[in-house]
Amino acid sequence: MHEMSVALSVVDQVERAAHSRGVAGVGAVHLDVGELAGVVPDSLAFCFELACAGTVLEGAALTTRPVPGRASCAPCGRAWDTGMPPDMVCAGCGSGATDLLAGRELRITEVHWADPADPPAPTPANPRKES
C-alpha cells in the first residue's frame, strides 16, 4: 500500500523534528496532497494512525488539504485545472506542449507540537516539494 509508505515517511520526518526540538508529543500534522500525487486521503489517514502508534505522534490528528492539478500551455500561455485523469492538452490552441504547475505535491505544511508544559505555536514546514 503506497499510503503506508507515505505515512511512515511523514511520521519519521516529524518524529526526527520533534526529537531535535526536545518536544514530547505532536498534536497535529497538516499535509498538502496533490490531486495527481496518487495518494488516497482516507487511506493515508488510516495508515497515518497506524504509523503513529508507539511514537511521539501517537494520537496526533492528520489534516490534508487537496491541491488541484494545474497545467499551462507553453505556446499560448493558457492555464487550466487538469482534473483527474489529467487533461494535458490545451483547449485554447490544442498544443500538447504543456507544463504541470501543481498537483503532484506531497508536503508537510504545518506541525502542531503538543507539549503540555508550554504549548508552542504551529511550526511552518520547510517548503520542499516532493513527488
Side-chain angles (χ1 to χ4, degrees):
M1 178 182 269
H2 173 66
E3 284 79 2
M4 182 55 88
S5 64
V6 170
L8 289 168
S9 178
V10 168
V11 168
D12 179 59
Q13 290 178 44
V14 174
E15 191 169 35
R16 281 188 282 128
H19 288 306
S20 72
R21 288 170 173 77
V23 175
V26 175
V29 176
H30 299 271
L31 301 177
D32 279 354
V33 178
E35 177 180 37
L36 307 175
V39 174
V40 178
D42 288 342
S43 296
L44 179 59
F46 175 77
C47 292
F48 180 79
E49 185 176 343
L50 295 174
C52 289
T55 72
V56 297
L57 285 91
E58 189 160 4
L62 176 68
T63 303
T64 58
R65 182 181 71 92
V67 178
R70 266 304 292 131
S72 70
C73 179
C76 75
R78 180 179 179 271
W80 66 94
D81 288 339
T82 63
M84 192 60 177
D87 179 7
M88 297 299 291
V89 176
C90 178
C93 71
S95 174
T98 58
D99 294 315
L100 189 59
L101 303 174
R104 294 186 62 209
E105 294 82 357
L106 187 50
R107 174 183 315 133
I108 300 169
T109 57
E110 216 173 286
V111 175
H112 294 257
W113 307 117
D115 189 350
D118 182 29
T123 303
N126 192 3
R128 184 176 78 195
K129 185 174 184 178
E130 294 184 23
S131 303

